[in-house]
Amino acid sequence: MFRTHEKRGLLPLLMVLVVLGLSAQPALALFEETPASAASRSMGETGVAVVDHAYAGLYNPAQLATVSRGQAAVSYVRPFGYSYNEFMTLGGAVPIDARYGNLGFNVTNFTVHYQDTDLLKETRLTLAHGLTLFEDMHSSIRFGYALNLYRAELATTVSGDEPGDDTALGMDVGMHMTLRKRTHIGFKVQNLNNPDIGVDQEELGRRLIAGIAYEPYDGVVTTFEFDNELGQELQYHGGVAMTVVEGFQLRAGLVTNPNKLTGGFAYSIMDFALDYGFSSGGGTLESTHQFGLRFAWGGEAQ
């Protein structure tokens, strides 16, 4: 089993050969990380400390504790511009109760296809809950957790073998703290229960992500975080977002291992918003362009 993802790239022909069973060994792991939202991609693929309610279940479920109105979002991207793969995300957040917390959900789907055949489908269903542990006029501590159902499906090989499909259940936990209103600290442990998938019991990535976001002025957000995935090189992420005029925000960032530059913008009008995120290929790969739409309802805009 394999995966086209944001850290490595394969030639289209090699990828097809691997999935069709002409290669004896798996090339890449399943369910490797791809930025779920265009906003995250544009700010150096960050998200653990910068609040983004619609995608909180994927980045840091503790952020759901601050939801005050319903939100929904959808995102679409073809990693590195390759026509044979696509990644889609649907997310939402719903306020439930100030004391008992709020709920979020996410669905991601990664597909590799050749002609009329889906060679690989990876689906992740996420249900998340976030609540406030402590809050006063200037500071707060919030906690959240998420349950992830992973499902992988592979097509029949040219030799008639059926790799089949399998599912796994993973659990994430996160914290989000606010200090003096302008400083936000977040961390998340992904796949805390160390789930595996497939007959080979391939372990799904266990990760620790931690970061800090600071708002030096109204309309300006800076953030820095590190991503430590078991067995992989440590990644550093940095980003900045600045509101130029009401309803229009510019974003930029960078990522290490591999080194990438990112950028993008958001345009909002009333309860709707359009997100665009860009990242360089990180070497010889092509750039990636990601788009997203958002909608909010009820309550008061924050």
Side-chain angles (χ1 to χ4, degrees):
M1 295 186 290
F2 80 104
R3 168 72 191 262
T4 300
H5 56 92
E6 298 293 328
K7 294 181 181 178
R8 307 178 184 89
L10 292 177
L11 294 174
L13 179 59
L14 177 58
M15 184 200 67
V16 172
L17 293 178
V18 170
V19 182
L20 291 179
L22 301 180
S23 174
Q25 298 295 329
L28 297 172
L30 291 168
F31 294 101
E32 297 246 353
E33 288 301 309
T34 296
S37 78
S40 169
R41 182 180 296 276
S42 62
M43 293 182 66
E45 302 179 6
T46 59
V48 73
V50 179
V51 175
D52 190 344
H53 292 134
Y55 297 98
L58 301 176
Y59 286 102
N60 188 347
Q63 298 173 6
L64 290 168
T66 63
V67 173
S68 62
R69 59 198 311 234
Q71 296 189 31
V74 61
S75 175
Y76 177 82
V77 62
R78 290 183 181 273
F80 309 116
Y82 293 150
S83 61
Y84 53 74
N85 65 174
E86 57 185 11
F87 183 81
M88 297 186 65
T89 307
L90 174 67
V94 182
I96 302 297
D97 186 274
R99 286 186 303 169
Y100 301 112
N102 306 311
L103 296 178
F105 69 91
N106 296 93
V107 181
T108 70
N109 185 71
F110 175 78
T111 306
V112 178
H113 49 82
Y114 178 70
Q115 295 181 352
D116 297 327
T117 301
D118 288 335
L119 304 179
L120 170 67
K121 291 180 65 176
E122 294 178 3
T123 304
R124 174 180 173 182
L125 307 178
T126 299
L127 180 63
H129 176 233
L131 69 161
T132 299
L133 301 180
F134 166 81
E135 186 173 25
D136 61 18
M137 290 183 60
H138 304 290
S139 304
S140 64
I141 300 175
R142 297 180 170 94
F143 170 79
Y145 60 92
L147 298 177
N148 303 289
L149 179 66
Y150 299 94
R151 180 172 178 80
E153 303 173 63
L154 288 92
T156 303
T157 69
V158 293
S159 61
D161 295 330
E162 295 188 5
D165 53 68
D166 198 12
T167 59
L169 183 65
M171 181 176 182
D172 307 337
V173 296
M175 296 285 290
H176 189 272
M177 292 157 279
T178 299
L179 307 174
R180 296 294 177 180
K181 295 185 178 181
R182 292 187 179 274
T183 302
H184 310 277
I185 300 171
F187 74 84
K188 184 185 80 166
V189 179
Q190 183 170 316
N191 291 326
L192 179 66
N193 60 322
N194 192 28
D196 56 58
I197 193 168
V199 294
D200 295 330
Q201 295 185 322
E202 178 183 342
E203 292 186 357
L204 299 180
R206 283 185 294 167
R207 305 166 67 217
L208 170 64
I209 308 101
I212 184 170
Y214 178 62
E215 302 176 43
Y217 310 102
D218 291 340
V220 177
V221 179
T222 61
T223 185
F224 173 82
E225 66 184 53
F226 71 84
D227 181 344
N228 185 17
E229 181 176 352
L230 185 66
Q232 302 291 335
E233 289 187 81
L234 185 66
Q235 278 192 321
Y236 295 99
H237 305 253
V240 59
M242 178 177 62
T243 300
V244 181
V245 295
E246 184 177 357
F248 184 73
Q249 185 182 69
L250 288 177
R251 300 163 175 157
L254 53 85
V255 185
T256 67
N257 294 325
N259 298 331
K260 294 187 284 186
L261 297 177
T262 71
F265 65 85
Y267 176 72
S268 60
I269 180 171
M270 299 181 65
D271 292 329
F272 295 87
L274 168 68
D275 289 315
Y276 165 73
F278 157 88
S279 63
S280 59
T284 60
L285 300 176
E286 297 294 328
S287 301
T288 298
H289 303 271
Q290 188 163 353
F291 299 88
L293 292 173
R294 299 170 182 265
F295 173 67
W297 68 92
E300 296 183 2
Q302 295 180 330

